[in-house]
């Protein structure tokens, strides 16, 4: 039973003749007032304002003053009055309780090392209040806030938790009322507003009111991307060589060169202090790496980001820092801290003035951040680093269930030595990716509390969910799970790192997860419905969710995922590194490389056309030239692999199979038979190369059924080709189509790829 059904049922029992009131959207004048207020806040904070917002504000000024209409607030008051008369128990089942008996009774008991706010912190807080409200916040009555970012509780639990935490910090004195100010639900409150700090970009992003026209403009595929200005492009190129930044028209581009000071981004002072402790940074230079500063600037824009220039790791040592991962984790901590502080302050105001309308500051469930990672070794590093940044200087026992995390996510000692010996012969980036536990099925909740990080928290009470796409897809498709994707209903930040590795696993799992994001929950999870954000109730949560996908290369699947599932109102950014030269220059043997272009066709028809071309044109040549053996056929997609395998078996070919599912013993035997010429043809998949990176001696000719996703695979295979005993140049045959433009560009270079994809009578290209 959904939340709306629960409310409707309760209303029918108490008022049979009354139906659930409809929550109308704000009228045009109310939305105009919101836009003008947002414009003032952004100007006061020194933020860039998009041209579209400035034009709408000018149009609003021409139309005249705002209308004092409280239609939404009136609807909610009606609902409150109706529910107040019904004190009977709800039909909703019992709330989910945490299954961990080790959790303390309250967060207060865990606060053995409460942070003390310095005089500089108070001055900075007062300065931010002044920027936001246009009035001077007096220091009298403003007490030191020793409240951390980790104490926000879901719904009713948050309100009760504030009573236990009142001794840590009193509510700040309310600023002078803004004559045009409104509460989160659009009603005036006589000056006691639930304000948003102008420097807090998270709350500015979450509390923006979208008009119907703005929502319509966020439809999938309706936001084309354009190159950023040349001044920005030059700075981007210095940080990410040969990279290009594309942006939608409605995005607020961050300032480039990016600032290295976290204070300029409005980061919580306690987070800045911990960051300096962990990173060993100095004030004003916390972001030392260019890639780190650039990525954090993009993340702080709150826009959807497709980052296709994520460098491969080069070291398997966990002690070697990953600057971009640290930037992502700091952005996650800032998001959780902003929401927690917002709820805490509102709880204090409600406690001192119960007559105030409930603020709209929560979702249907507590989790607001999802971090998707492909393997356990990456998750282990991310979770440990997250705890380190959240608890810098705290006792070592502040991370609950640390031993369980290490037991489940580290490699057992008995398997560590053989694995390390095998990895020592692999390329550096392969050793960095596959050192440790490479299992791809895991999920755990992380709850951030004051002075403590709890791992393996129940999903509905966690702040951050760390999981693999496979594990979440398995849970979402479980028919026995009554709650389904309820824990994904209120996500406001989703990050998928190493998407290129996910592409080598099964991309459909990632698609399944993204389709389930921000769906309406099936059950009620101890939520105060009167404090759920309006856009959550209206089904517009996807327009407030920031989606970040990071990869080392571009793929059509990633672009399609962002177009269909990412629709944030803050705009969209795409950072891609386009290799200018390709990898042909790194091929050492002298080879005859023939690239054959397939005719243009619809995407759905391309697999059939490719297979038909292989049967009619390529296979007769392989059959004729391959009598001496040494013929390798490289197939990236597993479905194409099965199709070609069945065809070659029907042709009674001398065939060996080597895929990602072949165990190590059979793989070694297949390579030996191929090298000795006992079998003539080796059918080889791209995933086998990705996971093993093994050498295949004995290759005399090669056919690429489709270009590799990773360009280094093309280079590695060709550098293993040997001349046949009969003499002559070995022949490399490559099939490509217009849909392989990105793969072709990474192999032959940008300029060559552009010429090879132009429609012409010539469809064969030769490189020697």
């Amino acid at each position: 039973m959904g939340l709306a059904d629960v409310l409707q049922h309760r209303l029918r029992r108490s008022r049979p003749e009354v139906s659930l009131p409809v929550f109308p959207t704000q009228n045009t004048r109310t939305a105009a007032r919101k836009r003008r207020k947002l414009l003032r806040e952004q100007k006061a904070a020194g933020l860039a304002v998009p041209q579209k917002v400035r034009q709408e504000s000018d149009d609003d000024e021409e139309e005249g003053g705002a209308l004092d209409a409280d239609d939404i607030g009136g609807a909610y008051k009606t609902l409150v009055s109706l529910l107040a008369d019904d004190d009977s128990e709800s039909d909703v089942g019992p709330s989910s309780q945490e299954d961990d008996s080790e959790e303390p009774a309250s967060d207060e008991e865990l606060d053995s090392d409460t942070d003390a706010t310095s005089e500089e912190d108070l001055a900075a807080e007062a300065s931010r209040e002044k920027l936001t409200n246009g009035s001077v916040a007096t220091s009298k009555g403003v007490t030191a806030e020793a409240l951390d970012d980790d104490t926000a509780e879901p719904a009713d639990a948050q309100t009760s938790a504030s009573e236990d935490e009142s001794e840590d910090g009193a509510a700040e004195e309310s600023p002078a009322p803004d004559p045009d100010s409104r509460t989160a639900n659009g009603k005036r409150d006589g000056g006691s507003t639930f304000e948003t700090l102008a420097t807090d970009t998270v709350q500015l992003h979450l509390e923006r009111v979208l008009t119907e026209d703005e929502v319509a403009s966020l439809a999938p595929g309706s936001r084309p991307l354009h190159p950023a200005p040349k001044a920005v492009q030059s700075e981007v190129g210095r940080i990410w060589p040969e990279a290009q930044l594309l942006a939608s028209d409605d995005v607020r581009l961050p300032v480039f060169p990016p600032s290295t000071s976290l204070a300029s981004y409005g980061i919580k002072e306690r987070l800045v202090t911990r960051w300096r402790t962990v990173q060993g940074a100095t004030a004003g230079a916390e972001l030392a790496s260019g890639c780190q500063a650039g990525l954090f600037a993009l993340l702080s824009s709150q826009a959807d980001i497709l980052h296709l220039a994520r460098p491969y790791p080069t070291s398997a040592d966990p002690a070697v820092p990953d600057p971009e991962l640290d930037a992502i984790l700091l952005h996650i901590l800032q998001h959780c801290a902003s929401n927690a502080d917002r709820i805490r302050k509102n709880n204090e105001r409600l406690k001192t003035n119960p007559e105030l309308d409930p603020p709209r500051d929560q979702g249907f469930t507590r989790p607001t951040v999802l971090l998707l990672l492909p393997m356990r070794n990456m998750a282990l590093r991310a979770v440990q680093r997250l705890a380190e940044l959240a608890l810098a200087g705290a006792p070592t026992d502040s991370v609950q269930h640390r031993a369980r995390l290490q037991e489940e996510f580290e490699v057992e000692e008995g398997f560590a030595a053989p694995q390390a010996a095998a990895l020592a012969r692999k390329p550096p980036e392969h050793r960095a990716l596959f050192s440790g536990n490479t299992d791809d099925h895991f999920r755990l909740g992380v709850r951030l509390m004051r002075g403590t990080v709890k791992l393996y928290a129940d999903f509905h009470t966690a702040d951050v969910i760390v999981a693999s796409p496979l594990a979440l897809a398995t849970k979402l498709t479980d028919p026995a799970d009554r709650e389904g994707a309820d824990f994904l209903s209120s996500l406001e930040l989703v990050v998928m790192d190493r998407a290129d590795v996910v592409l080598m696993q099964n991309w459909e799992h990632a698609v399944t997860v993204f389709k389930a994001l921000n769906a309406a929950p099936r059950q009620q999870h101890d939520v105060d419905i009167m404090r759920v954000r309006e856009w959550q109730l209206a089904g517009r949560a996807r327009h407030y969710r920031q989606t970040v996908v990071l990869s080392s290369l571009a793929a059509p699947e990633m672009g399609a995922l962002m177009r269909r599932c990412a629709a944030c109102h803050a705009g969209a950014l795409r950072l891609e590194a386009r290799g200018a030269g390709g990898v042909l220059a790194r091929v050492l043997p002298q080879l005859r490389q023939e690239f054959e272009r397939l005719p243009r066709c619809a995407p759905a028809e391309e697999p059939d056309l490719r297979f038909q071309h292989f049967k009619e044109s390529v296979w007769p040549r392989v059959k004729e030239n391959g009598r001496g053996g040494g013929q390798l056929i490289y197939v990236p997609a597993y479905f194409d692999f099965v199709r070609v395998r069945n065809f070659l078996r029907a042709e009674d070919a001398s065939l060996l199979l080597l895929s990602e599912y072949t165990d190590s013993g059979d793989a070694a035997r297949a390579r030996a038979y191929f090298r000795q010429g006992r079998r003539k043809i080796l059918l080889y998949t791209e995933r086998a190369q990705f996971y093993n990176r093994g050498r295949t001696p004995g290759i005399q000719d090669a056919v690429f059924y489709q270009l590799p996703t990773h360009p280094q695979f093309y280079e590695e295979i060709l550098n293993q080709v040997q001349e046949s005993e009969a003499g002559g140049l070995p022949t490399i045959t490559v099939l490509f189509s217009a849909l392989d433009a990105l793969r072709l560009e990474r192999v032959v270079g940008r300029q060559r790829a552009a010429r090879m994809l132009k429609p012409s009578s010539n469809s064969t290209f030769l490189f020697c």
Side-chain angles (χ1 to χ4, degrees), residues 312 427-429 581-591 593 595 632 634 684 686 689 693-696 699 702 704 706-722 732 734 743-744 746-749:
Y312 275 112
E429 73 275 5
V583 299
L584 293 181
R586 299 201 291 267
V587 176
L588 301 180
Q590 187 176 2
L591 307 172
Q593 305 176 50
F595 285 73
L632 178 110
Y634 182 95
Y684 191 51
E686 181 172 66
Q689 178 70 8
R693 299 293 279 273
R695 293 188 56 82
T696 308
I699 303 176
F704 285 86
Q706 188 179 15
L707 281 165
T709 304
H710 297 262
Q712 62 267 32
F713 295 171
Y714 183 85
E715 165 197 348
E716 291 172 2
I717 290 176
L718 264 60
N719 284 335
Q720 300 178 47
V721 175
Q722 305 170 356
I732 309 299
V734 181
R743 300 174 185 235
L744 182 65
R746 289 192 288 266
V747 171
V748 304

Side-chain angles (χ1 to χ4, degrees), residues 615-642:
K615 287 196 306 182
E616 297 177 356
S617 179
V618 179
W619 169 243
R621 284 178 280 164
V622 173
K623 190 175 182 180
E624 179 67 24
N625 300 332
R627 294 176 180 176
Q631 302 290 320
L632 178 110
I633 302 178
Y634 182 95
V635 184
Y638 187 76
F639 292 114
D640 290 333
F641 171 82
V642 174

Side-chain angles (χ1 to χ4, degrees), residues 402-410 412 437:
R402 183 196 295 269
R404 178 182 173 186
L405 176 73
Q406 295 175 343
E407 179 183 354
E408 296 184 1
F409 282 75
E410 289 183 348
E412 298 180 14
N437 193 334

Side-chain angles (χ1 to χ4, degrees), residues 14-36:
S14 59
R15 297 286 196 277
E17 72 282 4
V18 180
S19 61
L20 181 67
V22 178
F23 300 96
T25 58
Q26 290 182 325
N27 55 44
T28 304
R29 294 183 179 274
T30 305
R33 185 190 304 109
K34 291 284 187 179
R35 287 197 296 269
R36 291 198 300 275

